Amino acid sequence: MKKSNKVEAIAFARYIRMSPFKIRRILDQVRGRYYDEALVILKFMPYKACPLILKVLQSAVSNFRYQFKASTSSLIISEARVDSGPILKRFRSHAQGRGFPIKKRMSHIISSV
């Protein structure tokens, strides 16, 4: 078994009431970049998911500082992903007495630096 010298810190945000599809399009822009670049990108993007992702990313960097007592000047976002959480299933009334299903999706955001 090979041991790697790679150090990383992870942060989670679970049960976010937003669709994973909406979050994923922003995480694709941030993944693999330096932390400073990602901050600038997230601060100036006009999407509702940006503050949530920024919060998780800052938590991962804070965890890194606490665990390794190292500088954060050259941190790279190694992993940024979103998984689907539970789905709230609701019904809305529709024509001719029918019910129309509505799926309110949740997400789990995982970030590591």
Side-chain angles (χ1 to χ4, degrees), residues 9-95:
I10 300 174
F12 300 94
R14 300 184 69 207
Y15 303 104
I16 302 292
R17 273 284 295 124
M18 187 178 295
S19 171
F21 307 106
K22 294 177 183 178
I23 298 173
R24 199 168 286 129
R25 69 179 177 192
I26 298 164
L27 285 179
D28 290 340
Q29 302 294 319
V30 172
R31 189 179 302 115
R33 294 187 185 262
Y34 284 101
Y35 173 64
D36 298 335
E37 291 177 32
L39 284 179
V40 172
I41 289 170
L42 290 173
K43 284 187 180 180
F44 292 107
M45 277 184 133
Y47 301 110
K48 183 182 164 189
C50 288
L52 300 171
I53 295 170
L54 185 63
K55 195 171 184 180
V56 175
L57 196 58
Q58 287 173 340
S59 177
V61 170
S62 177
N63 291 342
F64 181 83
R65 284 184 190 145
Y66 179 76
Q67 289 175 357
F68 304 111
K69 312 242 184 313
S71 172
T72 59
S73 61
S74 62
L75 280 182
I76 294 177
I77 301 167
S78 59
E79 181 184 9
R81 69 184 165 120
V82 61
D83 297 328
S84 182
I87 299 172
L88 298 175
K89 295 177 181 174
R90 303 288 184 260
F91 278 92
R92 180 174 176 85
S93 57
H94 223 58

